[in-house]
Structures are given as C-alpha cells and as structure tokens.
Amino acid sequence: MEQPKGVDWTVIILTCQYKDSVQVFQRELEVRQKREQIPAGTLLLAVEDPEKRVGSGGATLNALLVAAEHLSARAGFTVVTSDVLHSAWILILHMGRDFPFDDCGRAFTCLPMENPEGPVEALVCNLDCLLDIMTYRLGPGSPPGVWVCSTDMLLSVPANPGISWDSFRGARVIALPGSPAYAQNHGVYLTDPQGLVLDIYYQGTEAEIQRCVRPDGRVPLVSGVVFFSVETAERLLATHVSPPLDACTYLGLDSGARPVQLCFFPFPQLSLFFDILHCMAENVTREDFLVGRPPELGQGDADVAGYLQSARAQLWRELRDQPLTMAYVSSGSYSYMTSSASEFLLSLTLPGAPGAQIVHSQVEEQQLLAAGSSVVSCLLEGPVRLGPGSVLQHCHLRGPIHIGAGCLVTGLDAAHSKALHGRELRDLVLQGHHTRLHGSLGHAFTLVGRLDSWERQGAGTYLNVPWSEFFKRTGVRAWDLWDPDTLPAEYCLPSARLFPVLHPSRELGPQDLLWMLDHQEDGGEALRAWRASWRLSWEQLQPCLDRAATLASRRDLFFRQALHKARHVLEAQQDLSLRPLIWAAVREGCPRPLLATLDQVAAGAGDPGVAARALACVADVLGCMAEGRGGLRSGPAANPEWMRPFSYLECGDLAAGVEALAQERDKWLSRPALLVRAARHYEGAGQILIRQAVMSAQHFVSTEQVELPGPGQWVVAECPARVDFSGGWSDTPPLAYELGGAVLGLAVRVDGRRPIGARARRIQEPELWLAVGPRQDEMTVKIVCRCLADLRDYCQPHAPGALLKAAFICAGIVHVHSELQLSEQLLRTFGGGFELHTWSELPHGSGLGTSSILAGTALAALQRAAGRVVGTEALIHAVLHLEQVLTTGGGWQDQVGGLMPGIKVGRSRAQLPLKVEVEEVTVPEGFVQKLNDHLLLVYTGKTRLARNLLQDVLRSWYARLPAVVQNAHSLVRQTEECAEGFRQARLGTSCNLQMGAEYLGPGTSLPSAPPQEACLCWASA
C-alpha cells in the first residue's frame, strides 16, 4: 500500500547527553535517511546537551538555536535570524536519560515488529515508530513551526488523529488517554471545553486528577509531544541571548555563562512541560510559577533558587501571552518506558499470543520457544529453550540453553553461550555491554533481577532478594559495593559496584555474575575472582559504554542472521522477497557478505531455479549498488569478458561458472555504469539457466519419418492469431515451472484469414534461402546462407532472419557446431538445400502472439519438407525450445493459442521437465458466434515488444515482490474461473476476469504491457 504523504521535514535534530555519542547518533539518522524513512533533503543534526542535566527545556532551547543557526547559514545570513523559521518544519527528538535495559537508550530500544511494506529491511526501534508517527500521523497539516517529541515512551496514534489547525497560534500539546490510576505517577492536562490548557499536574492529588477526567472516564496524559508555532518558537529562541537562559545553550556556555537547570517538579529533566509550557497554562499565576522549587533544592540554596527564579521570570515575560491548547487523540495510547523490568518485558511480549514472536531472527528449533515469548535479531543454534514472558534480543546463542520465564537477555554472542549451559535462568535480566575504558575496548556484563527496583528510596533488592539475603548467600559484603560511610537505608542498585569490567588475568564472561545465583561450593573461588576484578556500579558504567560498538555489533548480528535467512529463503524456494534485505545491505555499506552468500547458494544449488534466482539476486545487489546512476537495468549481456563464465554455465558446470562470474564481477564494481552492466550479465547468466530448464521441454518433442517431398515442392503451414482471455504471464519461464501456469486462449482469424504462415521446399543448391515478408508473394528480406558462419547470429533476435536460422537448427537440419561445412551437411542428409519463407499480415509487435506462432509454422513446414511430421503438442514444446535457442525467452501461451484450434486452456505444472498440457474448452452452441459478434480488433499504431517486457517480469518474479507473487497466483486462479465462465456462456464474467487479471496498471500486478498495435475490444452492442 502506498505510504500517505507525510511532513517534508526541514530539519530533524536528535539531542543526546553524551558528547561521544553525537557522531554515533548522527550516523543513525543518516542511515534512516538512506532507508527513505526521512526525506532526502532534510538536514539531520545530532546535538549534545550543553550540560548533562540541563533538562528537556534547556535541550529544546539549545536544539532550536542550533537549527536556526544552520538554517541561517544555509540562507546566507552571517548571524542567527529567526526569519528562517517561517518556512521550516523542524522536529526535535530528545534522547532523555539512561535506560537500564538498553545501552543506547529508549530511542534505540528494538521492538518486536517488522515493516513488511518498507523498502529496506531493518530492525524497528522506538525511534523509528516515533518518526513514523510524527511524519505521517501527527505532523501532516501542521503549519511551519517546531515539533518536540520525547523518545522515552511507546505511542500508538491512529492514521488520522483528527487534529485541526484552523486559526491555530501559540503552542499545542498532544494528549493521549490514560486511566486516573495511571495518572497518579504521570502528568495530566486540565483544559476547558475548547481545549485551552488551564494547568498541568505531575503526580497530582486525587482531586486534581479527578478535575481532568473526561466524559469517557479517561484523563489526557502528558505524552511528550508538543508543537510550537513560528511566533512562539521565535519568542523561545529570543531567550537564548539573555541570562540566565543563555546558559542552556552551547553559545552561552562558550561565552562563559553559568549552567542552569530548569525544573519545577521532582523530575529535573522534565522542564519542557513543567517550566516552558507551564508558564503558558491559563490558570497558572506569575507568583506560583516563580516560587516553585524542586524538593531536592534545600532551604540553604538561596543563590540557586534566585538563579532559577530569574530564569522562570524570563520565560514568563516571553511566553505568557502565547496560548497553549491541547489536541486529545482519544483512540491513541501512551506508555512511559519505566525502569521496571516487569513492565518493560510486558511491553515487548504478547501474553495471550498462541506462539512466540520471532522477528528478524533465525531459530533452528522454534518449538522450544514458549507462547508469549519474543526473539528479536537473534541467531539461535541448537536447543535454546525460552520461557513465557521472556525476551531475547541481539543474541547469538548455541544450545543447550534454558532461559525460563520472566527473563530479558541481550547482547550475548556465541562465545558466551557456554556460561549458560547447565543452568536455568528465571526472572533475570542478563545483558552484555560494549565498553571503552581509557581508550581500550572491552566487554562487560550486568545481571539484575526482574523484580529489583532502580529507585533510590525504599527497601532495596538484588537478584529479587533483599540485600541482606544476597550478602548471606554469596559472601559479598556491603563494603564491596558502597563506600564505608553509606548507611544501609541508602543501599540501592544504581550505585552498587557489582559489575566487573576488567579482570587482571582473563576475559570476563557472564559466569563472573551468574555465580551469585547459587550457594557457592567452590571454596570461594568465584567470590575471590569477583573481588579481584575492577568493578563499576550501573551509574559509573553508563559513561563507559561504547554506543558506537554496540550499534555496530547489533548491525553485524542483524546481517549475520539475515544471511541465514537469505540462504534459507532461496534453498527452500520460499515466496519471500529479498529485495528489502538487498537494499539494507547496500545502503548500510555491507553488500559483499551478501554477494558471497548468494554465490554459495548458486554454486551449490541442485535446482536450476534456485541457482537462477540466486544469480538474479546478485544482479539486484549490483543494481542497487549503482543507486540509479548507471543507466537502464535492461540491456545487452554479451560482453566478451563474460564469455568464460557463461561457457561454464552452458556446459553445465555450475560451480565453476559461479566462481568465474564472481571473479569477473570484482572487476566491475568501481563505478555505477559498470555495476549496471555487470547486473545485466548476471541476468544473462540467469537466462542461461532458465534456458536449460525450459529446454527440458525437448523431452516431449518427437517426430515421425514420412516420405521426403520432391525438390521444389512447397510445404505450406498457416495459422490463426491468438488472444488470451486470462492467465497471460503465468506461462512465462520461470513462472511456468516454479509457480505453474494456466492461460485461457482463443484462436482467431483476422479479416477472415489465417494471418501467419510459412512455406518450405527443398532446392538443389546446398544452401539455405531465407525470405521474410508481410505476405508470401511479397518477400521483403531475402538472405542466403552458404556457410555456417552465416548462421552464427541465430541467437541474436534482431539479426536478419534469426528466427528462421534458429528454426533450421532446432529442426535438426543444420548442426551449427559441427566440423562439417554447411554444404556437406545438407548434401549428405538431404541431397541439397532448403528455401524457407515466412510471413505475417499483422503489424509488428501487435501482441497477438505473432513471433511464437510464426516459429511454429516455420518448424512445421521445415520438418515436413525434411521428411518428418511433428504433432501439434510436440510442436508447442519445440517452439519453447526454439525461443530459448533464439534467446528471446518467452512462454508457451502464444503457440498454444495459435497452433491449437478454438478455445482452450493451456497448463504447465510447477515442475521440470516443463510440459504443457492443453484442454479444449467446450462451449454451448451459439457461443462462438456470440464471441464473433462482440470481439473487435483495433489498430492503435503502438508497438509492444515482448522481449522488452520479459526482463522486467523476470526481475519482479525473482525478487518475489509481494504484489507480484499475489497476482501471479491470482492469474492462475482466475484463469480457471474464466474458463468456467466460458463453459457456461457467461461473457460478462469472463471479460471482467480478463481485464482484472492482465490489464491492471504497473505496480498492482505483473507488469502490464504498454498500449499495443492490435487491441482486442469487447463491443457491447
């Protein structure tokens, strides 16, 4: 389905709190632009927060300044000017705080979903979902301005949320429904009936929340999404030059300003809503706004309080007169991504699902995955058992492994699998991390309980048990984890130095934490090894995480499992498209491993269809690498440099042919034009394999010796044209033997005559005389072949007389590779040569099957002139063989339609050797006359050359594009329905089926032909 028109973003900014992550996330934005998730012209910027705890309000102001600065520079200004905002659509995405369950934050948390409609195969992160929502659901229709979106929540928004932008000014918040109970730990909006925001409550009292309840019993939750009009954005931008708000921006810090944290409620970083927007709420007074103090700000911090009060006063002056309205999306949903492992696992699994969710993963023993579990971007080899409610992400594991219920396991590679053998995990979160310590890359692991709290208040636990029980079980002591002056009430998981990051003598593994799960019987060896390691707390670990290495590792594992998928899809002959995967490999810079895998599949294939499809996929990779800059994909494929690999394929040595193709391919990768030409030659190689498969039709070609006609005696063969009512293209190899084809056809005379014919006779001269023309008495092209060299171009369809030359070869009259001269062959067998004339009274490229039927008449006439007779069904298969020798390809529907009389259904099964079976369709009396009364042949003057269309059809089929696969099956099914309509004389049904099956526009079915010279129309009267 075509993607609706979305917002053409001018700038997209992703804010992040760590300086060393800027380039990492910049690349992630650029990758998404290459995937066409982001418009090609959008300016992409990853921007670090000026200070780690500057808050979302400060981060928004800084991002807005950076966007305005870049747009000003692009427009040729020498200073920052807000004028550039008047024609800009800006999207600011905030990464937010660290997340216990993903090293790259909530934005890059992978979700168990796929996008089968997407042009590029890729993992779906929360960021991708939010980009889609902002671009195609919330953003469309909005005027120029600034959208700000947090990435710390999971959103669901309907395709048309019904937001009106008429007479809009000021700022607008997007609210989603939630229960009053959920609102007790979140923010809610209080509005008037017109949607004007009166106040914003965070963790409000029961009375405050009840005031916000809507008629549906739900409350409008603060969803993390807000839009600023150009006027409001200009007002906000103006604050960057005035202290103390100048300290929220990089320009202010570079100018020596003191950092400021804007905050109004217990969340120091939620200041976008509880500072900037709160001052715009209708019921908020200046006094209440200015005196607000966060609980952690002590009474003695008078200087800081005054500093913050000055910042809020500046916001009040600039923004107070700007209206704040709310758009309530009643059918959407909102879920904040908390630090609760139980809630996180619930968001990634479907408890009531009948089976496991397996997304972008290859699992050898899927039956071991429990219902309600989830596997994302994993390679699971051998017996890996996963319990209900558990999640595996970014893991390459080798069994036997048993992960019980309620677990999250991420970031483990095959080398770590051994540590999991022989134990069952349950209600645990085990993660592998890429680290950079003093410039050195390394691995670290963290292990926590599903029920452990990440809060600093309340009774603490570790591995789902109180600290005291943990100490007793393991021998770990409080001083191992915290400073000696830390009180027991202050023991908390984020600050506990639990996790080894460096061992003095060996590499670390999951076993360096898993020992804590059991009472130790090793004499304390594991405890001593743990104490000997350099350990960090979770808080200390965060700045040491190497997010570039993490994302690179995830990308590498994704493509490793994707290569397994590609191999399986090809070898199992599945109707799944690999083109999205091909685009992913090319656009993310790793096509070579995919090419190597395709080579291996092609070389080891026992089925020519598998090998041909693998070669077609190689051609697709090369075409994608050219990025549309190397010319047309279709073109010639007979460059001498490629003849050596082609010769191997022609001789049946598939492995040597594939190896030689790869060697030659490496010489053609330097620029787009060469890539496209190489792609054409790979398609040419595939055509060799198709030709060999189709030539299996020779099994059904037989002749019977009869009396040889005398010299000079003409043998004439004439045939009608054909029209097909349903099923065209399903007869085309490889569809004909991979899917199975069915075509309903009709033999028709034109102006009362059979318009296609051939005549042949023996002549005394040991030569071949060829003549081609519109009628048998007006031959316009005359060719004389006196030696074998004159026949060498038989496989070049555009060469003069190529079809006739191929007919002599396929009829066995001439052996073009024989050591005997042409004259010797003719004299020895026939005592002389032959003269062959062919004609057609139909326009060239009429689309009425002329070339195939002409080949049939030529073969029939030649065989009889050579003293042989060939049956009609054998002749149908002989034409298939001839067209492969001629290299035009093509299917069997034309010769079935023209060589067999009347109305008939031709069928081929999904198997080799390729055999065509024809069934005559018996129709009621008078039905044929009714057809004659209603069918009209119209001359349009526009040609349709089958060869030009065939390559597109084959390319689409080998790519297994979903629409093409679906319509190919529909063609076969509708043919049978259409034939039944003919049997019952239901003309309307028959014609409607034909139009629906074959004349849909491009993109909705197998590629349809452009208007052709001869067009069959249905006359209603």
Side-chain angles (χ1 to χ4, degrees):
M1 188 173 66
E2 186 177 348
Q3 180 77 284
K5 181 171 176 55
V7 180
D8 190 4
W9 299 110
T10 311
V11 185
I12 293 179
I13 294 182
L14 182 63
T15 70
C16 53
Q17 60 177 320
Y18 295 109
K19 179 172 61 177
D20 58 358
S21 298
V22 171
Q23 285 301 110
V24 178
F25 296 139
Q26 177 73 30
R27 183 185 184 277
E28 290 300 311
L29 289 177
E30 292 168 355
V31 164
R32 283 154 177 77
Q33 193 170 53
K34 290 180 179 179
R35 293 178 190 159
E36 301 177 10
Q37 292 176 246
I38 298 173
T42 301
L43 175 63
L44 304 177
L45 299 170
V47 177
E48 66 173 301
D49 296 339
E51 287 289 324
K52 183 179 178 182
R53 299 178 67 83
V54 73
S56 60
T60 298
L61 178 57
N62 183 65
L64 179 58
L65 171 62
V66 172
E69 182 179 359
H70 278 77
L71 292 178
S72 298
R74 276 190 169 188
F77 294 102
T78 57
V79 296
V80 176
T81 172
S82 63
D83 292 346
V84 295
L85 302 180
H86 287 254
S87 59
W89 280 264
I90 298 172
L91 174 61
I92 298 173
L93 298 159
H94 289 311
M95 284 284 293
R97 292 166 290 173
D98 297 322
F99 188 45
F101 312 119
D102 197 292
D103 290 352
C104 297
R106 294 168 172 86
F108 291 96
T109 296
C110 288
L111 305 178
M113 59 177 60
E114 297 180 78
N115 181 13
E117 306 269 333
V120 178
E121 187 163 323
L123 295 172
V124 177
C125 300
N126 189 34
L127 176 69
D128 300 306
C129 292
L130 294 173
L131 273 173
D132 183 79
I133 287 172
M134 298 305 301
T135 303
Y136 296 106
R137 302 189 177 207
L138 293 179
S142 65
V146 180
W147 282 95
V148 183
C149 179
S150 173
T151 61
D152 58 7
M153 70 290 188
L154 300 173
L155 290 187
S156 174
V157 176
N160 184 7
I163 301 174
S164 173
W165 296 97
D166 296 338
S167 304
F168 168 77
R169 63 181 295 266
R172 172 166 289 169
V173 293
I174 305 298
L176 293 158
S179 67
Y182 189 84
Q184 292 176 2
N185 292 311
H186 294 275
V188 292
Y189 296 112
L190 177 66
T191 67
D192 68 8
Q194 287 70 44
L196 185 68
V197 176
L198 304 178
D199 210 337
I200 308 174
Y201 303 128
Y202 177 73
Q203 293 183 342
T205 65
E206 184 176 350
E208 289 173 332
I209 292 174
Q210 283 301 314
R211 283 200 293 271
C212 300
V213 174
R214 300 177 67 85
D216 61 1
R218 314 281 278 174
V219 294
L221 297 174
V222 175
S223 69
V225 182
V226 62
F227 176 76
F228 294 101
S229 69
V230 170
E231 179 187 0
T232 306
E234 286 183 303
R235 297 281 194 92
L236 180 59
L237 180 62
T239 65
H240 89 273
V241 297
S242 303
L245 291 178
D246 59 343
C248 291
T249 69
Y250 87 94
L251 277 181
L253 291 182
D254 287 354
S255 301
R258 175 185 176 184
V260 60
Q261 294 179 34
L262 296 176
C263 47
F264 213 86
F265 284 89
F267 275 91
Q269 293 184 340
L270 287 182
S271 55
L272 171 62
F273 292 89
F274 299 103
D275 283 288
I276 294 177
L277 294 177
H278 201 232
C279 75
M280 301 165 63
E282 183 72 14
N283 288 355
V284 175
T285 66
R286 186 176 187 275
E287 290 73 21
D288 290 340
F289 181 67
L290 294 184
V291 299
R293 300 166 62 90
E296 61 268 27
L297 187 61
Q299 293 299 318
D301 299 323
D303 291 342
V304 176
Y307 194 74
L308 295 177
Q309 189 175 73
S310 176
R312 296 191 183 103
Q314 178 69 11
L315 288 172
W316 185 273
R317 285 193 296 271
E318 291 289 346
L319 300 176
R320 180 56 189 173
D321 64 343
Q322 296 293 296
L324 179 63
T325 56
M326 180 190 75
Y328 181 65
V329 184
S330 60
S331 55
S333 66
Y334 165 90
S335 177
Y336 180 72
M337 298 173 72
T338 71
S339 58
S340 164
S342 297
E343 291 182 14
F344 182 63
L345 287 172
L346 193 62
S347 70
L348 296 182
T349 55
L350 298 174
Q357 292 176 282
I358 302 175
V359 180
H360 295 303
S361 299
Q362 299 302 304
V363 181
E364 286 188 358
E365 300 189 34
Q366 295 187 14
Q367 74 276 9
L368 298 181
L369 306 182
S373 62
S374 172
V375 179
V376 180
S377 191
C378 290
L379 261 176
L380 305 184
E381 302 174 4
V384 177
R385 188 177 298 275
L386 187 63
S390 288
V391 174
L392 284 178
Q393 290 196 343
H394 317 298
C395 288
H396 181 184
L397 300 178
R398 294 195 178 105
I401 289 174
H402 188 181
I403 298 171
C407 289
L408 170 67
V409 179
T410 70
L412 301 189
D413 209 342
H416 309 138
S417 296
K418 189 175 181 181
L420 303 181
H421 293 174
R423 67 166 66 242
E424 179 185 353
L425 305 184
R426 187 176 291 274
D427 293 325
L428 295 170
V429 178
L430 173 61
Q431 300 179 82
H433 309 271
H434 291 269
T435 60
R436 184 179 291 271
L437 300 169
H438 302 297
S440 299
L441 298 178
H443 279 89
F445 300 87
T446 56
L447 178 69
V448 299
R450 177 177 64 84
L451 304 177
D452 292 344
S453 171
W454 292 85
E455 302 298 328
R456 293 181 175 276
Q457 295 82 25
T461 65
Y462 182 57
L463 300 181
N464 303 315
V465 298
W467 286 109
S468 57
E469 183 176 335
F470 168 73
F471 294 151
K472 181 179 179 181
R473 182 175 70 195
T474 62
V476 174
R477 296 293 176 256
W479 59 77
D480 290 319
L481 306 180
W482 298 282
D483 294 337
D485 56 353
T486 303
L487 299 176
E490 297 173 345
Y491 294 169
C492 65
L493 178 55
S495 62
R497 293 186 293 271
L498 282 161
F499 310 119
V501 294
L502 187 66
H503 189 276
S505 60
R506 60 173 175 82
E507 289 187 358
L508 296 169
Q511 68 275 6
D512 291 295
L513 289 169
L514 291 172
W515 66 271
M516 297 178 177
L517 298 173
D518 308 306
H519 290 284
Q520 297 305 298
E521 298 179 0
D522 63 351
E525 179 62 31
L527 175 61
R528 286 191 293 272
W530 178 80
R531 281 180 169 152
S533 300
W534 178 20
R535 303 185 311 280
L536 297 177
S537 69
W538 183 82
E539 291 176 333
Q540 294 169 329
L541 183 62
Q542 296 310 299
C544 302
L545 295 175
D546 190 331
R547 293 169 179 83
T550 299
L551 291 170
S553 173
R554 292 179 183 180
R555 186 170 289 110
D556 175 70
L557 179 57
F558 170 79
F559 280 111
R560 270 190 283 155
Q561 68 80 27
L563 295 181
H564 281 72
K565 170 188 173 179
R567 179 185 293 276
H568 178 70
V569 165
L570 293 172
E571 293 178 344
Q573 301 183 51
Q574 295 179 336
D575 284 341
L576 292 177
S577 178
L578 294 180
R579 187 166 289 177
L581 172 57
I582 290 171
W583 273 115
V586 170
R587 292 182 176 176
E588 300 197 29
C590 46
R592 289 184 181 272
L594 178 57
L595 288 171
T597 297
L598 295 173
D599 289 342
Q600 293 167 11
V601 172
D607 186 299
V610 172
R613 185 179 174 190
L615 295 180
C617 288
V618 172
D620 259 357
V621 175
L622 298 174
C624 292
M625 290 171 68
E627 297 182 333
R629 295 180 288 132
L632 298 174
R633 276 289 304 275
S634 298
N639 188 288
E641 301 295 325
W642 293 84
M643 290 304 102
R644 186 175 72 89
F646 281 11
S647 66
Y648 285 123
L649 297 179
E650 294 282 9
C651 296
D653 192 343
L654 185 58
V658 171
E659 182 180 1
L661 282 169
Q663 291 171 354
E664 187 61 33
R665 179 182 70 213
D666 290 341
K667 307 172 187 175
W668 295 65
L669 303 180
S670 59
R671 62 180 191 273
L674 292 180
L675 285 164
V676 168
R677 291 167 64 190
R680 293 172 182 169
H681 284 83
Y682 262 90
E683 290 183 343
Q687 286 289 344
I688 294 174
L689 300 181
I690 293 174
R691 185 159 65 248
Q692 291 172 343
V694 175
M695 282 184 175
S696 65
Q698 281 185 286
H699 287 277
F700 309 106
V701 178
S702 60
T703 61
E704 182 182 343
Q705 290 292 133
V706 295
E707 183 181 353
L708 190 67
Q713 182 179 345
W714 287 104
V715 177
V716 180
E718 291 184 321
C719 285
R722 72 99 185 102
V723 292
D724 65 282
F725 277 87
S726 185
W729 291 118
S730 73
D731 66 301
T732 305
L735 279 78
Y737 57 81
E738 291 184 356
L739 169 73
V743 179
L744 175 67
L746 175 66
V748 295
R749 297 188 183 192
V750 179
D751 295 332
R753 296 197 300 251
R754 296 186 180 95
I756 303 166
R759 61 177 181 171
R761 66 176 177 178
R762 292 167 54 215
I763 58 176
Q764 293 183 349
E765 293 81 357
E767 301 170 347
L768 302 180
W769 297 354
L770 313 178
V772 180
R775 292 198 303 273
Q776 55 181 312
D777 55 345
E778 294 182 9
M779 300 304 165
T780 57
V781 179
K782 297 181 180 179
I783 303 165
V784 177
C785 299
R786 296 186 174 89
C787 62
L788 291 177
D790 295 332
L791 293 167
R792 299 292 186 198
D793 57 359
Y794 70 91
C795 57
Q796 300 176 26
H798 297 293
L803 186 148
L804 281 66
K805 297 174 184 178
F808 276 102
I809 294 168
C810 292
I813 294 173
V814 174
H815 302 281
V816 73
H817 298 296
S818 172
E819 295 181 359
L820 296 177
Q821 295 296 319
L822 175 62
S823 58
E824 293 181 70
Q825 294 184 44
L826 294 172
L827 287 171
R828 280 190 180 189
T829 309
F830 303 103
F834 287 85
E835 183 176 359
L836 175 61
H837 296 186
T838 60
W839 63 88
S840 171
E841 297 178 8
L842 299 175
H844 182 59
S846 65
L848 296 177
T850 304
S851 59
S852 298
I853 299 171
L854 194 65
T857 61
L859 283 171
L862 274 180
Q863 292 282 24
R864 186 62 187 87
R868 310 170 195 143
V869 66
V870 57
T872 306
E873 290 196 5
L875 194 59
I876 289 169
H877 295 88
V879 173
L880 273 172
H881 176 234
L882 183 147
E883 291 188 325
Q884 298 306 316
V885 169
L886 186 61
T887 71
T888 55
W892 45 254
Q893 67 151 319
D894 292 343
Q895 57 265 39
V896 168
L899 300 180
M900 298 289 285
I903 306 169
K904 78 288 292 184
V905 176
R907 299 183 182 90
S908 61
R909 299 181 184 181
Q911 64 184 33
L912 290 175
L914 175 59
K915 183 179 183 181
V916 182
E917 299 172 308
V918 183
E919 175 195 354
E920 181 182 355
V921 176
T922 304
V923 298
E925 186 177 353
F927 182 73
V928 172
Q929 185 58 48
K930 190 174 292 187
L931 282 177
N932 285 327
D933 293 341
H934 287 77
L935 292 180
L936 179 68
L937 194 62
V938 178
Y939 178 70
T940 67
K942 295 185 177 181
T943 61
R944 169 195 185 275
L945 298 180
R947 181 175 173 82
N948 293 347
L949 297 170
L950 183 59
Q951 286 180 303
D952 288 335
V953 173
L954 298 186
R955 195 174 296 131
S956 298
W957 171 252
Y958 273 136
R960 292 302 197 273
L961 300 181
V964 170
V965 172
Q966 178 183 349
N967 283 285
H969 285 279
S970 296
L971 287 177
V972 176
R973 183 184 67 253
Q974 291 176 348
T975 293
E976 303 299 342
E977 294 173 359
C978 190
E980 187 59 31
F982 268 61
R983 293 186 187 99
Q984 299 179 23
R986 289 186 283 113
L987 288 176
T989 301
S990 304
C991 291
N992 288 339
L993 284 170
Q994 179 257 349
M995 293 299 178
E998 296 189 62
Y999 293 94
L1000 294 173
T1004 56
S1005 73
L1006 289 171
S1008 63
Q1012 53 204 48
E1013 285 198 6
C1015 179
L1016 190 68
C1017 299
W1018 182 259
S1020 59

